Amino acid sequence: MTDQLKLVITRKGLDECINAKAQGIQLNLKWVSAGDRAYTPNPDQTTLVNEIQRVEFGEYKKLASNQLQAVAKFSGPDEYPVKELGFWLESGTLLGVISAVDTTLNYKAKDGHCIQPITLNLSALPTDTVQVVVGTENLNIIIDTEMMMDAVAFMRSQVTQTKQTHMQMKLSEKLRKMEGI
């Protein structure tokens, strides 16, 4: 994200995280909401300026103790420019907001899908106080190193299998020619 597009942590969200840290528990980050108003977020916000849709996270990957990548899928009949994003704790508290004046983050087409990738810097929060809860529609589109290594290993095994099959075909052809003599 650029300096212009950063997560602004709300005071209520920060307070809830500080209390959770003191109790030794983690809070669940459960929803992403989208709205069509562009503005400079305020730490005193408790809602988006004009929330249109709220969905569960479709996937996430922890990059570090204070940073994560996530994806949300907005679907349905509504059509709107995505200019504000809100991130909600399971308790219903707005944890943070991303928006900027005169900035469109994405666009949700009528009866279509809008896949919204998100990178959240949570360094303003106590370490390891927030975990993401993925909803029922897991998108599986964030590729991590382990998955990529598995894919490369599978492809290599398929190359080996293809070479072995080709060698078998050559040997079979030689045997047919020898038997025909």
Side-chain angles (χ1 to χ4, degrees):
M1 289 191 184
T2 66
D3 291 334
Q4 181 184 15
L5 295 174
K6 64 180 186 176
L7 177 67
V8 174
I9 302 295
T10 66
R11 293 191 205 292
K12 285 190 176 189
L14 179 59
D15 288 346
E16 205 165 313
C17 288
I18 291 170
N19 291 336
K21 183 73 170 183
Q23 295 173 23
I25 60 173
Q26 281 191 314
L27 299 175
N28 292 327
L29 187 57
K30 189 162 183 180
W31 299 284
V32 181
S33 60
D36 63 357
R37 299 293 189 268
Y39 55 91
T40 302
N42 180 331
D44 292 318
Q45 276 183 251
T46 56
T47 63
L48 292 183
V49 172
N50 190 44
E51 181 178 322
I52 296 174
Q53 192 171 9
R54 188 180 295 196
V55 298
E56 293 178 325
F57 284 92
E59 182 177 6
Y60 94 101
K61 177 172 97 172
K62 193 169 188 172
L63 301 176
S65 63
N66 63 354
Q67 190 176 40
L68 59 90
Q69 281 183 331
V71 179
K73 178 182 174 185
F74 296 93
S75 300
D78 292 329
E79 180 172 15
Y80 56 93
V82 177
K83 295 184 176 186
E84 58 180 331
L85 292 171
F87 303 93
W88 301 85
L89 297 171
E90 192 171 45
S91 65
T93 301
L94 179 63
L95 177 67
V97 178
I98 294 175
S99 187
V101 176
D102 299 325
T103 302
T104 300
L105 306 172
N106 210 330
Y107 193 84
K108 165 61 183 74
K110 181 175 175 58
D111 296 321
H113 305 291
C114 172
I115 305 296
Q116 180 65 54
I118 307 150
T119 301
L120 298 176
N121 181 349
L122 304 175
S123 59
L125 300 176
T127 307
D128 293 325
T129 53
V130 174
Q131 65 183 358
V132 175
V133 175
V134 175
T136 56
E137 186 173 351
N138 190 334
L139 298 175
N140 290 324
I141 62 175
I142 296 177
I143 298 175
D144 63 2
T145 305
E146 184 178 339
M147 181 183 169
M148 188 53 72
M149 288 172 45
D150 289 347
V152 169
F154 176 75
M155 291 304 294
R156 286 183 179 152
S157 73
Q158 293 306 300
V159 167
T160 302
Q161 181 68 36
T162 302
K163 286 179 181 178
Q164 288 176 345
T165 302
H166 186 64
M167 286 177 76
Q168 288 254 292
M169 289 172 63
K170 284 174 136 181
L171 285 172
S172 293
E173 186 62 31
K174 282 183 181 180
L175 283 173
R176 274 192 290 256
K177 286 182 181 177
M178 287 174 53
E179 287 176 348
I181 296 178

